[in-house]
Amino acid sequence: MHLALLVIFLQCSGVYTQERVFTFNNVEIRAEPSAKVKNGAPMSIICHADISKSANFHLQHNITIFKDGKLVYMIVSDKEVARYEVPIARSADTGDYECTVKADGKTKSSKSLHVWVTGMTKPILTAEKREVLEGEVVKLRCELPEEVPPLQFLFRKTKTNSTPKEKLVFEAYRNFSTAEFSVEEGDNILYFDCFGKRFVKHTNFELESSEPSNRTLVTVKEPFIKPSLIIKSTSNITEGDRIEFECSTVVARMRDIEIILQKNKTILNSVRDEKLLKYSAVATLEDSGEYLCKVEQGRASKTTKLNVVVAELFPKPILSASMSKLDENKELTLSCSISGFRKANFSILRRNSNGDILLKNSRNLTVRVNVNDTGSYICKAEVKGIVKESKPVRISVYAPVSKPTLSVVSGLPEVVLGKPLQLICRLMMGTPPITFTFYKGNEVKKVVINDTYATFLDENIRQNDKRGYKCDARNNHSSGVKTSNILNITVIVPIRNASLGSIPYGDVEDGSGTAFLCSVEEGSWPIHFKIFKKTDHDTLLYEKTESTDRIVWHKETMSRQDTGTYYCMVSNRAKVNVKSHPITINVILASWQKGVIAAFVLILIVGAITLTVWWFLCKKKKAKESSMEMSRSALATNSTNEKLARQHNDGDYYSGSGYIEDGENHMKSTDENKGPDLESAEVEYTEVEVSTLDPHRDSMENRHSRIQGHPDAT
């Protein structure tokens, strides 16, 4: 029974599980009435989930709505739709909206929807004061209470018949801002307003502006009246008259008030915390011009201008000189005068950086001058306490120039061909400015005005140019021109095309001498020659300076160590080293050394041949000795046989012919026993005459004769 209940329970669970199956088809989000809403209008954000179910069953939905990633609305419901109501839409509601639906462990999100609330709320402007004084500051506050930063605020100040002044303020974290405007002179009635601006994301961060704020009126009061500037003396002012200025104003508050009198930006006088300024002076011609009286208090400032003309009492004096340029030890007369006016106190002075030097209180001055009297002179005239100064007169006193000296800047009177030549003309004495003239031959090359020296650069140097140089100098002294001595220049021709040769060339016998010839194609003398042998650090073998275009160096004895590569280096005063092409010297054996070696080799060859022959002869001798021993053995055997035969035959004698036959048989036997060795030894045989003497005696003599006739019998 328990088993049956378990089966029924499992079947029921399977049926229940099949009935709870669902899936999200889509989740949508939209805005009503549209995604673009006017500021202040109602707005709804609707999230709808499209769900498919396996059966009709209740499903709880957790629906959340986000704006720019932040949660703004959430609801748990069995409905598939959620509605987020915004009764009054503001620009702060602009943003990207997205909704997410969760149900029974499953989650689905919608796409993002951008909602734009157009327009901004009207800003509110407040002023700290509605009534201010000139020079004070108007403080303003502009607020956008329903907007969200970042924001921009534009403040405007407007006065009658003028262009508004604006100030732009950026606020990153506040929805309000403040600004200050100075109240300037002439401001009466001022109007202020402000605007709000914000960035709109979907329009590439363009600015959207609000409508203008409320207009605020600010009235301005003067802290003081415009000052008055008068001259208390007569209207016609002449030099020497006393001139008196008065500058005054009316102030509402005396504290921190200041009055200033100035001319051409130069302050003449000033007072503080007073309503009246006075200033007086003896009038001069330079006092003519525009005067300004300025009253300042805080930031407020007002000015008044007055133009003053001072008539001339007498013109400026004129200083005249008998001569402006003169030789030293000459007389100079200076005279001071006033056109149409003679009653004055005159003085003549010399200008000096530390203060003018009085020379004489007189109209005229005569002196004998020297060079130190060169300078500027003036005269002064005084009438009724008015002192006027003449224009300066320049007096130049000249000492004569000395004879100039012409030289080469580098020192020696020479120049390398192709290089420029710089000359300097100097003077020991002479009052500047001095005019220097350079000549090449009789041709003027350059004119220079300087104090004590001048230079000339000649860049056209030729090899065969024989013209000398000179210079002359002159100043304003009456002695005239002085000319230098003629300077002759040596033109140094650089070395060109160095070459090295040798005699003999190439192969040189050991122990013999070699002559090295180093020469140049062109170059000024003296010339410095060097001969090197190439090594790891090239070895200098010979050097010499000669006034010629070639040198010969004799190396008396060459050895095998002298084999190698040689070159020569040539230079002159042009200080340019010219290197020749290298040559190769090969030191070989001398003829007598070759003869010694050949003789030694020949001796070795002869010795070898001699040893070979000696060895052959020794071998041949040994072969002959072996053959003789074999012959003696055969002869002894035959003799024994003969004795036995004689004993057997009772001493019978043989005829001579029988012996010869016997001898022939014996030789045959010997030849047969000798074999190939005796044949190769080429044994010579000698014929022997046989007599009919005693056979035994004859036999011994014949045998002895045969042995002596053999080549090896010795």
Side-chain angles (χ1 to χ4, degrees), residues 400-545:
V401 296
S402 60
K403 183 177 180 179
T405 302
L406 183 64
S407 60
V408 180
V409 173
S410 60
L412 296 175
E414 59 187 27
V415 62
V416 178
L417 183 65
K419 298 289 183 68
L421 172 67
Q422 188 170 24
L423 302 175
I424 183 168
C425 187
R426 291 187 178 93
L427 288 178
M428 295 299 294
M429 295 177 57
T431 304
I434 300 170
T435 301
F436 296 88
T437 305
F438 290 88
Y439 299 86
K440 186 175 184 179
N442 294 320
E443 181 183 357
V444 176
K445 286 296 185 179
K446 188 178 182 182
V447 177
V448 181
I449 298 176
N450 206 348
D451 289 346
T452 58
Y453 72 94
T455 59
F456 164 59
L457 187 67
D458 189 0
E459 297 180 311
N460 187 21
I461 303 296
R462 297 178 181 176
Q463 182 173 353
N464 298 318
D465 200 343
K466 303 298 183 182
R467 293 180 293 173
Y469 295 87
K470 66 180 179 179
C471 71
D472 62 36
R474 69 180 185 277
N475 60 3
N476 290 314
H477 195 274
S478 58
S479 61
V481 177
K482 300 289 179 62
T483 304
S484 71
N485 294 331
I486 295 176
L487 177 65
N488 293 313
I489 300 297
T490 301
V491 179
I492 299 173
V493 180
I495 300 297
R496 185 164 65 90
N497 295 343
S499 62
L500 178 66
S502 67
I503 300 175
Y505 182 79
D507 293 339
V508 179
E509 289 187 356
D510 190 5
S512 65
T514 300
F516 291 89
L517 173 64
C518 181
S519 62
V520 297
E521 185 175 325
E522 186 178 37
S524 295
W525 299 350
I527 299 175
H528 189 62
F529 298 87
K530 293 181 181 180
I531 298 177
F532 292 87
K533 180 184 179 184
K534 278 193 174 181
T535 58
D536 292 339
H537 304 286
D538 291 1
T539 304
L540 175 63
L541 302 176
Y542 179 78
E543 66 175 325
K544 192 173 185 181
T545 301

